[in-house]
């Protein structure tokens, strides 16, 4: 990174984790503290109040009344601060009491808590950036018949409350940013981090079109797959879902079969690339089809691992040799049972997020951070060089 960070920060840095994302924010905070203190020691900074603080985290609370109603509370002044408010709308592990009953928090609850914290800021901050790794209601990104446009409405609501920028990761459909064309919206990809994590875990891969292939599990993920294929110099294949449009099961038309388009995968290692694993059924069906076509190793790479039906099916497929690795990020809540799986790789995004925040706080362009092509090529070259020794 060529930036010198000699520019004056937008304001005193403040990290505000909405309840449920503290582990990741603490990692980010530690990295930022080290970076700021290192610059201060070298005398490379313009003095700003609190620039070399021991922590940039601003404690926020969202307590609830017995009725289930809540409020947002900040425990210190944020006047003039450059705030980065982070929320994990997928963290279902948190609970609250509602008339004596225990409720698990839904994405709606987390989004409401985010708005409460923004309301508690009361317009006193210099700038507000919301970091929402899994974009709230992003699967409801378009209208088909008499349906609500939840994601677009949520973005417009945040902007109306005074949010200047929104950072999200691997949005289901990034065109949703058209709902707020006059405000900042960054859709961030983690391709470099995924490639690095896979290469660290698998030292004997041959990265060329004769031995490896990128697979898109459906039409929607094709853009991601093509990007990886171009970066790694590989061929790409795609499955498409043949559905029974005469029936509706659990709110959708059931999948009849997964049809494959692409060259032979026989004897090749394959990377299945997608934005999320929900129940995982489609991803596992694709893995099974690839093994039936005699693929060598199957790696499942997904930004968000929800695993809504648990890990049992993934365990079975691993034991049967149908999948070899599953990679998801730590951008959302991860259960211990997931982290303990022998085939699972957690892709850590904390350093990348810290660099994005640091760069934005200094009002420097993040264009180079959003386009890691050069760094990916460097990582691949280093990997091949190690294999040659």
């Amino acid at each position: 990174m060529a930036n010198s960070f000699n520019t004056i920060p937008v304001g005193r840095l403040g990290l505000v984790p909405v309840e449920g994302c503290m582990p990741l924010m603490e990692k980010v905070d530690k990295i930022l503290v080290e970076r700021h203190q290192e610059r201060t020691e070298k005398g490379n900074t313009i003095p700003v109040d609190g620039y070399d603080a021991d922590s940039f985290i601003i404690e926020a609370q969202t307590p609830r009344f017995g009725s289930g109603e809540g409020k947002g509370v900040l425990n210190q002044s944020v006047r003039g601060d450059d705030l980065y408010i982070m929320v994990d709308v997928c963290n279902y592990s948190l609970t609250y009491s509602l008339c004596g009953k225990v409720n698990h928090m839904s994405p709606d609850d987390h989004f409401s808590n985010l708005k409460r914290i923004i309301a508690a800021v009361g317009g006193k901050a210099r700038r507000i950036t919301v970091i929402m790794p899994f974009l709230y209601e992003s699967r409801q990104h378009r209208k088909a018949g008499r349906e609500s446009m939840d994601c677009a409405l949520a973005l417009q609501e945040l902007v109306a409350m005074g949010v200047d920028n929104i950072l999200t990761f691997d949005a289901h459909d990034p065109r949703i940013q058209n709902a707020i064309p006059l405000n900042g919206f960054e859709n961030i990809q983690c391709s470099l981090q995924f490639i690095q994590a896979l290469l660290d875990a698998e030292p004997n891969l041959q990265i060329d079109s004769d031995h490896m292939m990128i697979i898109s599990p459906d039409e929607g993920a094709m853009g991601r797959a093509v990007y990886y294929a171009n970066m790694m110099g590989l061929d790409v294949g795609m499955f498409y879902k043949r559905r029974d449009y005469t029936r509706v099961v659990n709110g959708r038309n059931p999948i009849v079969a997964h049809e494959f388009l692409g060259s032979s995968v026989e004897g090749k290692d394959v990377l299945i690339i997608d934005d999320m694993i929900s129940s995982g059924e489609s991803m596992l069906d694709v893995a099974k089809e690839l093994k039936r076509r005699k693929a060598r190793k199957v790696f499942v790479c997904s930004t968000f691992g929800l695993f809504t039906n648990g890990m049992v099916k993934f365990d079975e497929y691993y034991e049967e040799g149908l999948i070899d690795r599953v990679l998801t990020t730590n951008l959302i809540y991860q259960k211990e049972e997931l982290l303990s799986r022998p085939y699972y790789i957690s892709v850590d995004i904390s350093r990348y997020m810290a660099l994005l925040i640091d760069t934005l706080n200094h009002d420097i362009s993040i264009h180079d951070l959003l386009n890691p092509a050069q760094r990916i090529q460097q990582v691949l070259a280093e990997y091949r060089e190690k294999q040659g020794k």
Side-chain angles (χ1 to χ4, degrees):
M1 189 69 184
N3 293 325
S4 63
F5 290 90
N6 285 332
T7 55
I8 300 174
V10 172
R12 184 177 55 194
L13 180 59
L15 307 178
V16 187
V18 178
E19 188 180 7
C21 58
M22 184 60 88
L24 177 56
M25 193 60 102
E26 284 178 338
K27 279 187 168 185
V28 171
D29 180 52
K30 184 178 178 182
I31 295 166
L32 286 168
V33 167
E34 290 173 356
R35 290 173 65 87
H36 281 218
Q37 290 182 349
E38 184 181 349
R39 287 188 207 122
T40 302
E41 289 168 5
K42 292 180 178 178
N44 292 340
T45 62
I46 298 171
V48 174
D49 180 39
Y51 192 84
D52 58 348
D54 293 331
S55 175
F56 299 112
I57 291 179
I58 295 169
E59 189 178 346
Q61 297 173 334
T62 50
R64 289 181 182 262
F65 302 99
S67 61
E69 298 166 293
K71 63 179 177 180
V73 180
L74 294 172
N75 292 332
Q76 67 187 74
S77 172
V78 295
R79 186 177 294 275
D81 286 3
D82 183 22
L83 294 183
Y84 294 82
I85 306 175
M86 182 176 170
V87 61
D88 175 9
V89 299
C90 297
N91 193 337
Y92 58 87
S93 70
L94 301 180
T95 60
Y96 64 92
S97 176
L98 174 60
C99 298
K101 305 291 184 182
V102 175
N103 269 19
H104 283 264
M105 289 185 66
S106 70
D108 292 345
D109 292 317
H110 286 292
F111 187 68
S112 293
N113 279 348
L114 168 64
K115 292 190 292 182
R116 290 180 177 117
I117 295 301
I118 296 170
V121 172
K124 304 300 190 298
R126 180 71 52 83
R127 184 175 68 179
I128 296 177
T129 298
V130 166
I131 303 175
M132 192 185 296
F134 186 98
L135 187 61
Y136 174 70
E137 289 288 358
S138 58
R139 300 175 80 175
Q140 185 56 21
H141 57 92
R142 60 179 177 171
K143 204 167 185 177
R146 299 183 184 92
E147 294 182 348
S148 57
M149 280 284 287
D150 297 63
C151 190
L153 285 171
L155 292 176
Q156 291 175 354
E157 193 171 4
L158 291 178
V159 166
M161 293 185 73
V163 172
D164 299 280
N165 301 299
I166 296 169
L167 304 185
T168 192
F169 288 77
D170 207 357
H172 195 65
D173 188 339
R175 289 175 296 183
I176 195 66
Q177 66 188 289
N178 293 334
I180 49 169
L182 300 181
N183 291 77
F185 181 101
E186 299 295 347
N187 180 43
I188 302 160
Q189 305 296 323
C190 306
S191 47
L192 169 61
Q193 288 72 25
F194 269 107
I195 292 170
Q196 182 74 70
L198 178 63
L199 299 186
D200 287 344
E202 295 284 333
N204 299 313
L205 297 176
Q206 290 181 267
I207 306 172
D208 58 58
S209 56
D210 293 327
H211 299 92
M212 187 176 280
M213 195 168 177
I214 304 294
I215 302 295
S216 172
D218 54 34
E219 312 93 296
M222 196 61 184
R224 298 179 189 88
V226 168
Y227 180 80
Y228 276 83
N230 288 339
M231 287 295 102
M232 301 176 75
L234 307 177
D235 292 332
V236 66
M238 184 193 82
F239 282 86
Y240 68 91
K241 298 168 184 173
R242 192 147 52 86
R243 295 182 181 272
D244 181 358
Y245 286 100
T246 64
R247 297 187 298 134
V248 176
V249 179
N250 294 328
R252 61 182 181 176
N253 302 108
I255 298 169
V256 177
H258 291 270
E259 305 290 353
F260 183 66
L261 299 174
S263 58
S264 172
V265 299
E266 185 173 352
K268 295 180 182 179
D269 298 324
V270 293
L271 275 71
I272 310 174
I273 307 293
D274 207 356
D275 62 330
M276 75 175 74
I277 297 173
S278 184
S279 67
E281 289 178 7
S282 294
M283 202 71 102
L284 292 174
D285 287 345
V286 166
K288 193 172 187 177
E289 285 295 317
L290 289 167
K291 279 292 187 177
R292 191 173 68 81
R293 289 172 168 79
K294 300 180 180 179
R296 193 175 84 96
K297 285 190 173 184
V298 175
F299 305 112
V300 175
C301 302
S302 182
T303 307
F304 305 107
L306 303 176
F307 301 102
T308 56
N309 288 353
M311 303 300 301
V312 175
K313 271 286 185 187
F314 285 86
D315 293 342
E316 291 175 2
Y317 273 54
Y318 175 68
E319 289 163 8
E320 293 170 15
L322 297 175
I323 58 173
D324 293 270
R325 295 281 193 178
V326 175
L327 296 84
T328 69
T329 70
N330 62 341
L331 287 167
I332 61 172
Y333 169 68
Q334 296 170 300
K335 292 192 292 187
E336 281 302 320
E337 69 167 309
L338 170 64
L339 296 171
S340 65
R341 292 304 192 264
Y343 53 85
Y344 178 69
I345 300 172
S346 178
V347 182
D348 187 8
I349 309 297
S350 58
R351 187 161 295 277
Y352 187 27
M353 187 180 290
L355 188 53
L356 286 164
I357 292 172
D358 202 12
T359 306
L360 288 169
N361 178 238
H362 279 264
D363 217 16
I364 300 171
S365 170
I366 59 172
H367 177 269
D368 290 342
L369 294 176
L370 300 178
N371 295 276
Q374 189 174 351
R375 179 68 180 128
I376 289 174
Q377 295 308 311
Q378 183 182 340
V379 166
L380 292 172
E382 290 170 357
Y383 182 78
R384 293 185 178 111
E385 188 180 342
K386 274 186 189 176
Q387 289 182 316
K389 290 181 181 179

